[in-house]
Amino acid sequence: MQKIVTFLWFDNQAEEAASFYVSIFKNSSLGKISRYGEAGPGSKGSVMGVTFNLEGQEFFALNGGPHFKFTPAISLFVNCETQEEVDDLWKKLSAGGREDRCGWLTDKYGLSWQIIPRALMELVWNADPQIAQRAMKAMLQMSKINVQELKDAANAKVSATST
């Protein structure tokens, strides 16, 4: 078990959510499923928790009841290599959820994700501040990140006009 594991609190959808996430990401698997016993607080035999692995990252999902909800202050950041990967993950993870700005979405369980192409990070952290600013400005107008639009904006020549 890795030293630090992401712990996700669900009302009662831990197993369903874990299965959903594992179905989306390659190199992923479900782990152990634990069930509530006599002591509760869930009903005896119902799923208490599920361990699962997404792309080498371990997670623990708990059915803890309605006491806590996810917030966008914590999100899962997914590094994507291609526009196709961005498009695929965006479509699957946003289904039944909500598309937000700047590569963020909230899935149908309320968990926030950032679906970010590597090209975005390269452009907004570019050593040339003009390229970085143009890429940032373009990104701020997007929901799902479009790599080609970012590149076009970042590489656009700003013409000086005289009045």
Side-chain angles (χ1 to χ4, degrees):
M1 184 172 210
Q2 67 192 36
K3 185 108 173 144
I4 299 173
V5 175
T6 302
F7 185 94
L8 303 171
W9 180 297
F10 293 89
D11 180 2
N12 61 4
Q13 320 92 329
E15 183 176 19
E16 176 185 328
S19 294
F20 175 67
Y21 301 142
V22 166
S23 75
I24 292 174
F25 292 92
K26 298 174 186 172
N27 305 313
S28 299
S29 61
L30 286 174
K32 295 181 180 179
I33 297 175
S34 60
R35 299 191 179 277
Y36 284 109
E38 295 287 338
S43 58
K44 182 179 178 182
S46 66
V47 172
M48 178 176 71
V50 180
T51 61
F52 61 103
N53 184 296
L54 302 178
E55 299 284 353
Q57 175 69 43
E58 292 181 38
F59 293 85
F60 184 93
L62 172 75
N63 281 331
H67 313 293
F68 301 109
K69 302 289 182 207
F70 294 119
T71 168
I74 297 290
S75 62
L76 300 181
F77 186 104
V78 183
N79 290 302
C80 298
E81 293 299 319
T82 65
Q83 184 67 53
E84 292 75 25
E85 185 181 12
V86 169
D87 295 345
D88 182 58
L89 291 175
W90 188 267
K91 180 180 177 183
K92 290 175 180 175
L93 287 168
S94 67
R98 184 182 74 241
E99 296 180 0
D100 294 317
R101 307 288 298 160
C102 307
W104 291 59
L105 64 85
T106 303
D107 71 24
K108 62 185 173 183
Y109 302 104
L111 184 60
S112 293
W113 296 80
Q114 295 181 61
I115 308 303
I116 306 298
R118 183 173 39 90
L120 172 64
M121 302 311 292
E122 291 170 355
L123 290 169
V124 297
W125 289 9
N126 193 287
D128 181 331
Q130 290 182 351
I131 289 174
Q133 286 299 312
R134 289 191 299 265
M136 179 65 77
K137 184 176 180 182
M139 185 266 307
L140 291 171
Q141 304 305 310
M142 298 178 184
S143 290
K144 178 180 70 174
I145 303 300
N146 182 300
V147 174
Q148 190 58 55
E149 289 179 18
L150 278 175
K151 289 179 178 179
D152 291 347
N155 295 319
K157 301 292 182 201
V158 178
S159 60
T161 58
S162 58
T163 56

